[in-house]
Each structure stands twice: as structure tokens, then as C-alpha cells.
Amino acid sequence: MKKKERIYLAPPHMSGRELQYIQEAFRSNWISSMGSNIDEMEKQLAAYTGAKHTLLTSSGTAALHLALRVLEVGQGDTIFCSSLTFVASANAILYQHAIPVFIDSEPDSWNMSPKALERAFEDAEKKGKLPKAVVIVHLYGQSSDMEALQEICNRYQVPIVEDAAESLGATYKGVQSGTLGRIGIYSFNGNKIITTSGGGAIVSEDPDLIEKAKFWANQAKEPALHYQHEEMGFNYRMSNILAGIGRAQLEVLDQRIRKKRRIFERYNASLQSLPGFEFMKEMTYGTSTRWLSALTVDPDVSSSTALEIIKALSDENIESRPVWKPLHLQPLFKGAAYFSHQPEESVSDRLYEHGICLPSGTNLTDAQQDEVIKIIHKVVTST
Ligand SMILES: Cc1ncc(COP(=O)(O)O)c(C=O)c1O
């Protein structure tokens, strides 16, 4: 019997115009790190997000690394970072030989807990060593509660880096996610709401920060004919070919957000009444893109656990995933300090243990989604 076509979690979804821009790069022979696709995509991204200054990079991770570098993060500095996230958020901290301190989520938005952040700052102040920056991650397409977090960071005069890799297009009080901190970063990895196959961007209100980032992204090349280098740089630029993909993708970003939200609505309508099922809430302060439709399954109430559901979907060739394993639980960060939401309550541990991210690709058909829903109903009612 022919195996059923695999349903992926968040595969790339081309608009159809990508090749036109790629061909433009070929026609003009600007197939490297300069060209009109780069210029246009940077302009488009600025226009969409309202960010004043933008720089395209080879990945979101590279953008994060540059962000920490321009904030002069160095050996032995501490950086506060959301714990419930992909490892890239904190790898950039290690690249700069700095020390991550992990901050828990709060239960409603699943994003950084202002309470935990407050306690982390109090502790840092007591020890006489404030962090050099706070990396705030916006999870699964939803902004963190930026005002509450900004109030704390501003009080201690510590800059915010917004890791908006998963939240391009989300808003907070009408403002685009990624543009509220001192620096924001986006990812255009293949699984993101729009993609360049691989790529990222760094944005800021401050032109000097982006200028510096550009300098380091380009091997710290001094303006001299003979390749003069006074500092260590990186090769972190995006290619003009990939920016061609990004131009076409940005044109359909609003469409993609609408589809992601529709996918969520359909899951929500047919699964939310199942005992113990609770979808990630959309906070009243903003709009979530619902990059991934995510929920928790309470094993004390449901007849199935999150892992049993993931396994049942996998048996039918459908990819779903647990919620991120919090970084404070990762062996890589063993021994790192961690501040939970309440002294006795770690929210991210619970979200990880009971969370599921369901297939959320914008090219998912209704029939495929119905299949996912049917399997989940079957597991839950048959156990
Ligand atoms: C929260 C978060 N930060 C950073 C990254 C890194 O982005 P990239 O894969 O473009 O390096 C990702 C995803 O890949 C992510 O989900």
C-alpha cells in the first residue's frame, strides 16, 4: 500500500513569484551578497514592521549574535533569556562567551514572566552584577507582554533584544513584534511564517547599531582597497538570490497570517471541548499570527497524554511536536541560573511536559487538517 503523504509541522509555502525575483538576480548577475533583492527586501521589511533600520542576515541566529555583539556583550557578562525557546536564542549568548540566566514563562501568554524577571533583577542587583541585555522571545507567533517587561528593564537601564524569530507579523498594542526593544531579530528559516530558505534580519530604531551590525556581518572590512581588518568579523550576509525568495514571501505575509489564524480556529472549534485540552490563549494586548497552533493536554483530566497524541499522529505519518524543552532543562545549560514564575511553580516545565504543537503549515488543506483532528478524537476517545 502506498504510504500516505506526510503532513509536516510547518513546511515552506511558496507564493509562486519567488522564481521571478531569483531570475532577476541571475539576469543582472548579482547572485552574491549585494543586489536589488536585498535592497528591496530590506525596504519591504522596514515598511511592513515599521522598523527604521534593517539588515538582512544569513540566519536568525546570526542576527541574534550580531545583536549581542553590537550591545558589547562579552566574556563573563550575564544575559537574561527566556527559557521556553529554541536553543538558538541562547546559543548566541554562548558565542559571545557570556552567561545565560533563564527566565520562566507566565501561564497566560506562555512568554517571559514579568514576575520571574523582576526576581532575577532583584537577585542580580543584590549580587552587584546586572545583566548586559535581556533576550525576550515571542513564542509561536505571540508577543510577550512588552510593557510590563520594558518597565522592569528600563528601571534597571538594561537593553532588550527581541527574539521575534517566531513572531513576524504579530502585534503588541498595534505595534509590530520585534520593533519594541533596542534591537529585534527575525528568522526566515524554512519553518517560519515566511522563508528565504534560510535567513534572518536584525532591526532597530538606532542607525548606528545597524551600521555596526553590517560592518561585522561583512567580515569587519575597513574601508581600504587592500583588505584592512582591525577587528574580528563574521560572514553573516544574506545572498541576493535568497532575498529574492524573501521579497515574494513578504508580499503574501498578511495572507499567511490569515491562513495560520484560520488553521488555529478550526483546531480550536473541534478540539477545545475535549476534556483537559487547553489552547495557547491569544492575549488581549495584541494579535497572534498563530505561527504554530499549540495546546496543552492535562493528563489528570484527559484520557491521553500529549506524548500519546504525538505518537498516534506520527503513526499516521503526521508531524507534531512537544512544546520547546525549556533551556534550563537542557544538558547544554546544566548549572545555569533559572528564575521560575513563582518560587514554587515553573510554568515552562509544565508547558513542555503537556504541550503539543500541531501541524500548522499554511499549505495544509482542510482535508489534511480534518484528518489530524479525526486522529486526535480517536486517540482520546479510545483510551
Ligand atoms: C525563537 C527562535 N530564535 C531563533 C531562531 C533561529 O533562527 P534561524 O534558524 O534563522 O537561525 C529560531 C528558529 O529557528 C527560533 O525559533
Side-chain angles (χ1 to χ4, degrees), residues 104-312:
D104 197 8
S105 300
E106 51 98 12
D108 290 331
S109 71
W110 297 19
N111 281 314
M112 188 181 277
S113 157
K115 279 188 187 156
L117 181 68
E118 184 83 64
R119 291 211 320 286
F121 266 112
E122 281 163 12
D123 183 73
E125 194 173 42
K126 240 185 270 159
K127 290 182 174 142
K129 189 179 176 188
L130 289 176
K132 201 77 185 262
V134 179
V135 176
I136 298 178
V137 179
H138 307 301
L139 212 60
Y140 301 142
Q142 169 150 273
S143 174
S144 313
D145 187 359
M146 285 303 285
E147 261 175 28
L149 298 168
Q150 270 169 325
E151 191 276 313
I152 301 167
C153 294
N154 289 347
R155 208 178 333 125
Y156 290 93
Q157 297 185 327
V158 174
I160 291 172
V161 174
E162 282 186 88
D163 179 347
E166 301 177 7
S167 66
L168 175 64
T171 59
Y172 179 81
K173 301 198 174 171
V175 181
Q176 286 285 319
S177 168
T179 65
L180 288 131
R182 182 118 165 84
I183 302 181
I185 74 97
Y186 300 112
S187 163
F188 306 114
N189 187 33
N191 62 350
K192 295 301 182 288
I193 193 156
I194 58 165
T195 183
T196 55
S197 83
I202 175 167
V203 302
S204 180
E205 284 286 290
D206 185 339
D208 293 343
L209 291 186
I210 298 302
E211 258 323 295
K212 270 193 217 158
K214 197 170 187 172
F215 174 69
W216 283 316
N218 196 16
Q219 303 283 23
K221 229 181 265 164
E222 299 291 339
L225 198 58
H226 55 267
Y227 296 105
Q228 174 85 359
H229 300 279
E230 292 163 18
E231 290 177 71
M232 184 186 76
F234 313 97
N235 184 359
Y236 276 170
R237 296 160 304 171
M238 185 185 277
S239 129
N240 193 46
I241 295 176
L242 302 191
I245 304 177
R247 275 178 79 179
Q249 290 271 292
L250 266 169
E251 289 169 3
V252 294
L253 177 53
D254 281 333
Q255 236 169 286
R256 297 291 184 259
I257 294 171
R258 282 198 294 279
K259 179 69 192 279
K260 291 271 189 196
R261 289 180 62 85
R262 181 170 181 274
I263 290 169
F264 171 81
E265 289 307 334
R266 293 184 89 242
Y267 280 132
N268 192 47
S270 45
L271 298 174
Q272 56 109 10
S273 61
L274 292 174
F277 277 48
E278 193 181 351
F279 279 90
M280 184 180 181
K281 282 192 192 80
E282 180 172 45
M283 303 301 285
T284 52
Y285 55 59
T287 311
S288 168
T289 66
R290 297 288 186 186
W291 171 56
L292 293 184
S293 286
L295 73 153
T296 53
V297 177
D298 181 348
D300 295 336
V301 182
S302 173
S303 56
S304 303
T305 63
L307 272 182
E308 282 164 354
I309 295 168
I310 291 170
K311 166 86 176 45

